[in-house]
Amino acid sequence: MADKGITSRTQDFSQWYLDIIERAELAENSAVRGCMVIKPYGYAIWENIQKELDRRIKASGHKNAYFPLLIPKSFFTKEASHVKGFAKECAVVTHYRLKESPDGKGIVVDEDAKLEEELIIRPTSETIIYDTFSRWITSWRDLPMKINQWANIMRWEKRTRPFLRTSEFLWQEGHTVYATEEENIKEVMDMLQMYVDFARDTLAVETYSGRKSESEKFAGAVNTFGVEAMMPDGKSLQFGTSHDLGQNFAKAFDIKFADKDGTVKTPYQNSWGVSTRMMGALIMTHSDDNGLVLPPSVAPIKVVIVPISKDENRDTVMEYCNNIVEELKTEIEEVELDARDFVSPGYKFNEWEKKGVPVRMEIGERDIQNGGVTMVRRDTNEKMFVERSQVLEYTKNLLNEIQNSLLNRSQSIIRNNTHAVESYDGLKTMMKGEKGYAKVYWCGDPKCEESIKAETKATTRCIAEEDVSGKCIYCGKDSKEAWYIAQSY
Ligand SMILES: [Zn+2]
């Protein structure tokens, strides 16, 4: 039975997604179109994502730093394909002062305060960071340079949707410089794998990963590698990217180092990032018609306890609940006792269900008499009675089981939505119907890719297999590569 207020997923996937965000209190629109307000509960999930990812980034030897929000316009013209790729979505700062309007009734831009050089609000930070690197790097002793930044980013979007596509979003961007091409490429792949592992272990989201096509690669990169996740509506979501920048930016920003033998060389660079878009993947992958479902590893509240009492037994029930909270907190930090006395237990059940708390305990006088607690797991809505002495062990196991079971579900979504397709008619039928990933041979010609996109709305997401042999699904020419193609967010 669908909760009132949440559109059924099968009826209208897109409205279902928006309803979850609203009812679980994750985010809302702001006065500025395309810029969302991330609410405390949504931000708490983001902080958990950030914490775990930051741990992994630091474990791989990167240090956090912070660079300016504003970038001189001239920086963008230094790498030709980079500027082309981002020009259409740049917000530009032209003035630095306002003044009272001549009629005294309002505020206008002060034309006397026009900037000599316009500034771009960062759509990504390669240019400003590499300008800095050109001063930080002079010798082989300065390499590798391994820097990460957590920041907000602005890319002006016309059609927006919370978390999936917003003009302002939050992300991390890693920027690394190496003396040799081999080391550089190894790291491009290592960071790609870090995202794959993070998605799987922490977010319980299974992905495909691999090289992107020329048309889908990052503006200015030699190669882009992407991580793609399959959403339950059959569309792919680009979860993260890792770019091999080669020497393109190093040359444009004059980054050089004196090697051990004294010769001056140009280093190799890579960059990689994931954003609040991951929240979109998390929400769509696990949630159901009753609201948000969260893997325990990122849930701000892992266990909620709802006491069910009347005036005459309130003290007894609360004491029993407090005792359980105390015991759980010895091993599980994120436990909440919902002691509000101005809403009914039924209201609370409903609220925590919508917010996706993995385990809910309902404790009333009857549970106490029976010597245990009633537990409900959010992912399956299964209800169980657990003996008091077993509560801590049982809860720990249950949280693990929920985490694993959500991953298994995500793995079947990606598996069941991937089909080897050999005929172009088959592809067209698939993209009109169930969608998902079509694994196809593609000759590599951008014209075939373009025609497929125009006719089926499906794009190449990432390479599936190299050094194979088959016939291009579009033109029939020999092909050595199989690709995952899908419609995407
Ligand atoms: Zn072809």
Side-chain angles (χ1 to χ4, degrees):
M1 189 183 69
D3 179 59
K4 61 175 184 303
I6 296 181
T7 306
S8 142
R9 190 171 76 174
T10 45
Q11 198 189 320
D12 184 345
F13 190 86
S14 161
Q15 189 56 46
W16 166 80
Y17 174 75
L18 294 175
D19 286 352
I20 302 248
I21 287 171
E22 189 191 326
R23 306 300 193 275
E25 299 185 69
L26 302 177
E28 64 185 32
N29 293 327
S30 73
V32 182
R33 210 168 148 259
C35 296
M36 64 178 165
V37 175
I38 305 178
K39 298 174 86 170
Y41 191 64
Y43 200 76
I45 300 170
W46 173 246
E47 283 180 310
N48 286 341
I49 289 176
Q50 206 181 17
K51 210 188 296 171
E52 171 55 17
L53 202 52
D54 196 60
R55 188 190 67 73
R56 288 178 190 245
I57 289 169
K58 284 173 181 156
S60 68
H62 296 82
K63 291 194 169 74
N64 285 338
Y66 188 79
F67 298 84
L69 166 76
L70 300 175
I71 303 176
K73 193 178 81 179
S74 60
F75 281 20
F76 267 85
T77 55
K78 290 190 180 186
E79 214 291 333
S81 47
H82 189 61
V83 66
K84 244 191 252 167
F86 285 101
K88 282 183 184 160
E89 45 195 29
C90 283
V92 186
V93 178
T94 54
H95 293 77
Y96 58 86
R97 197 165 59 215
L98 301 172
K99 63 175 186 186
E100 205 173 273
S101 60
D103 64 7
K105 287 178 185 162
I107 293 283
V108 293
V109 169
D110 185 347
E111 286 303 333
D112 293 335
K114 198 167 178 348
L115 288 170
E116 253 173 65
E117 179 175 4
E118 290 151 347
L119 300 167
I120 311 294
I121 301 178
R122 62 182 164 216
T124 180
S125 305
E126 274 76 9
T127 57
I128 188 94
I129 294 181
Y130 301 164
D131 173 67
T132 312
F133 281 180
S134 72
R135 291 186 297 277
W136 287 1
I137 297 166
T138 54
S139 145
W140 61 271
R141 292 177 197 85
D142 303 321
L143 300 177
M145 177 73 67
K146 302 176 86 162
I147 296 292
N148 178 64
Q149 165 169 257
W150 289 97
N152 58 340
I153 288 292
M154 179 151 279
R155 295 179 189 171
W156 213 258
E157 295 279 0
K158 289 209 182 76
R159 299 174 63 191
T160 64
R161 202 156 4 159
F163 297 115
L164 295 174
R165 199 167 283 283
T166 47
S167 291
E168 183 189 16
F169 56 89
L170 306 181
W171 81 350
Q172 64 67 219
E173 48 183 319
H175 296 272
T176 312
V177 190
Y178 279 100
T180 68
E181 192 172 13
E182 296 71 38
E183 292 171 290
N184 190 54
I185 287 174
K186 181 182 180 296
E187 171 144 301
V188 171
M189 302 319 288
D190 285 351
M191 299 328 277
L192 186 75
Q193 190 58 43
M194 179 187 76
Y195 291 146
V196 170
D197 295 342
F198 172 75
R200 183 185 294 137
D201 304 343
T202 304
L203 303 185
V205 174
E206 189 61 48
T207 57
Y208 287 142
S209 61
R211 179 163 49 87
K212 306 221 94 176
S213 72
E214 276 295 303
S215 72
E216 296 278 329
K217 81 178 186 189
F218 178 73
V222 173
N223 266 316
T224 287
F225 298 80
V227 181
E228 297 279 327
M230 178 48 56
M231 299 298 105
D233 63 344
K235 285 193 197 167
S236 183
L237 182 141
Q238 181 173 291
F239 181 94
T241 46
S242 184
H243 314 295
D244 169 13
L245 304 176
Q247 296 177 310
N248 292 351
F249 284 90
K251 283 176 182 160
F253 286 86
D254 203 28
I255 306 175
K256 284 186 186 128
F257 70 101
D259 209 348
K260 288 175 186 167
D261 61 7
T263 58
V264 175
K265 292 179 181 168
T266 303
Y268 295 81
Q269 293 182 273
N270 60 69
S271 67
W272 29 275
V274 286
S275 71
T276 32
R277 235 178 167 224
M278 284 188 295
M279 295 275 291
L282 185 73
I283 296 161
M284 287 195 282
T285 301
H286 303 303
S287 303
D288 61 21
D289 285 356
N290 295 322
L292 185 67
V293 175
L294 284 174
S297 59
V298 291
I301 301 168
K302 289 181 182 161
V303 182
V304 66
I305 296 173
V306 180
I308 306 163
S309 64
K310 298 190 187 86
D311 285 343
E312 58 271 26
N313 63 13
R314 178 157 296 134
D315 291 348
T316 322
V317 172
M318 286 311 287
E319 194 191 332
Y320 191 82
C321 289
N322 275 316
N323 190 273
I324 292 173
V325 170
E326 210 171 291
E327 189 189 340
L328 288 173
K329 285 216 170 182
T330 58
E331 296 195 45
I332 306 161
E333 208 180 309
E334 303 85 351
V335 178
E336 172 117 344
L337 174 63
D338 187 350
R340 290 178 293 173
D341 58 6
F342 51 90
V343 286
S344 70
Y347 180 93
K348 295 177 185 176
F349 299 162
N350 189 263
E351 179 174 332
W352 297 116
E353 186 172 51
K354 279 187 291 194
K355 288 192 159 182
V357 174
V359 176
R360 184 172 81 228
M361 295 185 189
E362 307 173 354
I363 301 172
E365 190 155 352
R366 199 186 310 160
D367 299 286
I368 301 174
Q369 277 160 8
N370 292 336
V373 306
T374 300
M375 286 195 199
V376 185
R377 58 185 281 186
R378 174 63 185 90
D379 61 333
T380 60
N381 288 321
E382 199 183 325
K383 212 172 216 187
M384 55 216 94
F385 184 80
V386 180
E387 270 182 47
R388 177 64 188 84
S389 64
Q390 298 301 309
V391 167
L392 178 59
E393 272 314 295
Y394 194 92
T395 307
K396 283 196 301 184
N397 291 334
L398 185 57
L399 289 170
N400 281 334
E401 197 184 313
I402 293 171
Q403 183 82 25
N404 292 335
S405 148
L406 289 176
L407 176 61
N408 288 339
R409 228 158 60 182
S410 168
Q411 286 169 333
S412 21
I413 292 175
I414 201 165
R415 208 171 34 236
N416 297 338
N417 281 286
T418 303
H419 304 286
V421 179
E422 279 166 17
S423 80
Y424 190 59
D425 278 344
L427 179 67
K428 282 200 277 195
T429 311
M430 184 178 164
M431 291 305 156
K432 262 186 231 147
E434 298 285 296
K435 305 184 177 68
Y437 291 119
K439 192 177 167 190
V440 305
Y441 291 106
W442 168 46
C443 64
D445 186 340
K447 280 186 199 139
C448 293
E449 188 186 27
E450 227 171 84
S451 306
I452 294 170
K453 183 180 178 181
E455 290 162 27
T456 69
K457 294 188 192 133
T459 50
T460 59
R461 302 317 307 158
C462 68
I463 193 161
E465 276 182 280
E466 284 174 274
D467 299 322
V468 287
S469 82
K471 303 280 179 205
C472 174
I473 185 139
Y474 195 78
C475 69
K477 282 185 198 148
D478 284 343
S479 153
K480 289 196 170 72
E481 292 174 347
W483 286 73
Y484 291 121
I485 69 171
Q487 294 181 7
S488 74
Y489 278 96

